[in-house]
Amino acid sequence: MDREQGRSAIVAGAGIGGLAAAIGLLRAGWTVTVLERAPQLREAGAGWSFAPNALRAADALGVGAEFRACSVPTEAGATMRLPGGEYLMRFQPGADVPLLANHRADLQRVLARHVPADRIRAGAEVTGVHQDGDGVTVTCRDGTEMTAGLLVGADGLHSTVRRRVWPDTPEPVFQRILCWRGVTKPGSAWPVSGFQTWGRGARFGAHPLTGERVFWFLTVRQEQPGARFADDLEEVRARTRGWHDPIPALLAATPHEAVLRHDIYDLDPLPSYVQGRVVLLGDAAHAMTPFLAQGACQALEDAAVLAAEAAGPVPESLARYDRLRRPRTQQVQRMARTDPRLSLSTTPATYRLMTAMTRLASSGVARRKSARLWDWTPPLVHTGK
Ligand SMILES: Cc1cc2nc3c(=O)[nH]c(=O)nc-3n(C[C@H](O)[C@H](O)[C@H](O)COP(=O)(O)OP(=O)(O)OC[C@H]3O[C@@H](n4cnc5c(N)ncnc54)[C@H](O)[C@@H]3O)c2cc1C
């Protein structure tokens, strides 16, 4: 393999993880090609929130200012209510750190602007991976092949790269959780400062977005995956009937077509994120439940660490990436799996205990717990060839 090919990378997947990885590798002087299965970059999706660790990763990747510009502070990380409206915990300005919420499509647009358009190939689904010593070759569904010195598998929960390179790893695990998400029409239910509401076996949350829109979600217990409903918005209304304002107003301001429904899966911890010249990142490596709102945050951290380590020779730098990323991401992954066992419990006694503990704990305890999760220092990403 010539020197040029040795510093070239293929990134499978143009989600937040893949785009962030491409940005970091480009900054580190690599030649990058992003292969995305979808015929074009998805403008779909709903909202999500980001904690300070994600912002630090975005800063390390050089996209922090634009990240903030497309986001809105939300108090939902520290304001917890009961369905009747009573506060279990309330965001305290100056003491609590607001999360930042944005629309997935807005963030994707921001990140995609940092990758030259001719480096992203849409409609390119990776179907095969082959390594031979100092190169890795991917095959796409249309039969085209491409070789590079590094392959980043950022192709999400059902990653083809993971399945090809780690054929013995178990399939994603359904966590008996169903989630609906929606976004209101601009200006129709505004302002909202962000909150979560804990019902028994059901949790509602809302975050303000740019453009006077509001993103909301409802997560519930669901024994089997694949449930279908005649009308998803009506189902959410039925399950939150009688819940406090502004929940009914948010649902009334949401068009039916803006409602998404997802079964929630995660992954069992993998024995390694690296094999030869192939590295996994984001959900492909450590898909987790959304209960800590950390999946995309961890993908950004991965991308910043990969970019910093990619200054060195590939096998050694990937080994360091694995050593740095696996313990942290797998700890967060475990916490995100454990959390809903309590917080989404349908058992009356557990629900009563959980709400009583939250009321007593105050936001100070929650603040310290979050600080431990968010306590992450980004590496320095060296720029240039
Ligand atoms: C309901 C819900 C709420 C969430 N809320 C939050 C939150 O508030 N905060 C947070 O930090 N995280 C949150 N997450 C987690 C977050 O969505 C994920 O962790 C994040 O999107 C992972 O990004 P990714 O780039 O790794 O994967 P993905 O976003 O899944 O992107 C993978 C990309 O790869 C492409 N692809 C797939 N297969 C191939 C292939 N074979 N070849 C080429 N391309 C391929 C896909 O089309 C896609 O574009 C939430 C998740 C869910 C389900």
Side-chain angles (χ1 to χ4, degrees):
M1 175 182 309
D2 61 30
R3 198 181 164 280
E4 271 311 290
Q5 201 166 306
R7 299 290 289 170
S8 67
I10 299 169
V11 177
I16 187 170
L19 289 173
I23 292 167
L25 290 170
L26 285 165
R27 272 175 81 81
W30 286 67
T31 304
V32 177
T33 306
V34 181
L35 303 177
E36 167 56 47
R37 176 178 61 186
Q40 59 209 26
L41 290 201
R42 278 186 300 157
E43 288 285 307
W48 44 9
S49 67
F50 290 88
N53 56 314
L55 267 292
R56 276 181 238 124
D59 285 334
L61 292 165
V63 297
E66 285 161 274
F67 194 118
R68 287 175 182 83
C70 77
S71 308
V72 176
T74 169
E75 298 179 1
T79 296
M80 310 294 165
R81 305 182 71 173
L82 289 174
E86 184 195 343
Y87 285 89
L88 290 172
M89 186 186 288
R90 204 162 186 172
F91 182 88
Q92 292 174 27
D96 286 315
V97 179
L99 305 176
L100 285 187
N102 56 50
H103 196 290
R104 187 189 194 107
D106 294 342
L107 182 59
Q108 189 172 37
R109 219 174 290 121
V110 160
L111 296 182
R113 275 206 293 269
H114 287 263
V115 183
D118 64 351
R119 303 318 308 169
I120 303 179
R121 293 198 197 154
E125 179 181 355
V126 172
T127 52
V129 179
H130 173 71
Q131 297 198 65
D132 65 353
D134 57 1
V136 52
T137 301
V138 302
T139 311
C140 289
R141 181 162 298 285
D142 66 2
T144 53
E145 285 194 346
M146 190 176 205
T147 300
L150 171 67
L151 169 62
V152 181
D155 49 347
L157 173 69
H158 299 287
S159 169
T160 299
V161 174
R162 187 182 68 239
R163 285 176 169 151
R164 293 287 175 272
V165 181
W166 287 261
D168 298 330
T169 54
E171 286 298 298
V173 185
F174 177 58
Q175 288 299 327
R176 296 169 46 241
I177 301 167
L178 179 68
C179 181
W180 285 277
R181 292 180 289 170
V183 176
T184 62
K185 288 189 289 251
S188 53
W190 191 260
V192 166
S193 47
F195 62 89
Q196 289 186 51
T197 301
W198 294 4
R200 180 154 63 87
R203 184 181 290 196
F204 188 93
H207 301 295
L209 299 178
T210 56
E212 299 192 350
R213 297 166 296 173
V214 180
F215 159 62
W216 56 259
F217 62 84
L218 177 70
T219 42
V220 298
R221 272 275 164 236
Q222 182 74 32
E223 291 308 315
Q224 297 296 331
R228 296 282 175 273
F229 303 89
D231 182 327
D232 284 296
L233 190 53
E234 276 311 316
E235 189 66 29
V236 175
R237 275 201 190 104
R239 290 176 186 243
T240 57
R241 190 149 290 134
W243 289 27
H244 66 84
D245 288 332
I247 294 172
L250 293 176
L251 301 181
T254 305
H256 281 257
E257 64 277 12
V259 180
L260 303 173
R261 178 183 7 89
H262 278 100
D263 294 326
I264 301 298
Y265 288 83
D266 69 1
L267 279 181
D268 288 331
L270 300 184
S272 171
Y273 294 168
V274 172
Q275 199 187 102
R277 292 178 173 273
V278 182
V279 57
L280 296 177
L281 175 150
D283 277 10
H286 46 67
M288 56 187 73
T289 80
F291 274 70
L292 302 178
Q294 275 286 321
C297 299
Q298 293 300 315
L300 287 168
E301 285 189 12
D302 289 346
V305 172
L306 183 65
E309 295 301 333
V314 163
E316 292 83 357
S317 56
L318 293 190
R320 275 197 306 275
Y321 167 90
D322 190 50
R323 273 202 305 278
L324 287 169
R325 294 310 298 154
R326 217 150 33 83
R328 170 152 171 85
T329 50
Q330 294 186 345
Q331 185 193 13
V332 182
Q333 197 182 27
R334 269 194 303 275
M335 288 163 71
R337 186 180 272 190
T338 310
D339 184 289
R341 290 188 185 149
L342 257 191
S343 63
L344 212 57
S345 172
T346 52
T347 312
T350 308
Y351 176 63
R352 275 198 303 277
L353 181 69
M354 192 200 58
T355 52
M357 277 167 45
T358 306
R359 197 184 279 113
L360 285 175
S362 79
S363 66
V365 174
R367 211 178 293 135
R368 283 194 290 281
K369 193 173 151 212
S370 300
R372 278 200 297 276
L373 191 63
W374 302 341
D375 182 18
W376 176 80
T377 308
L380 188 63
V381 177
H382 299 280
T383 54
K385 289 192 189 274

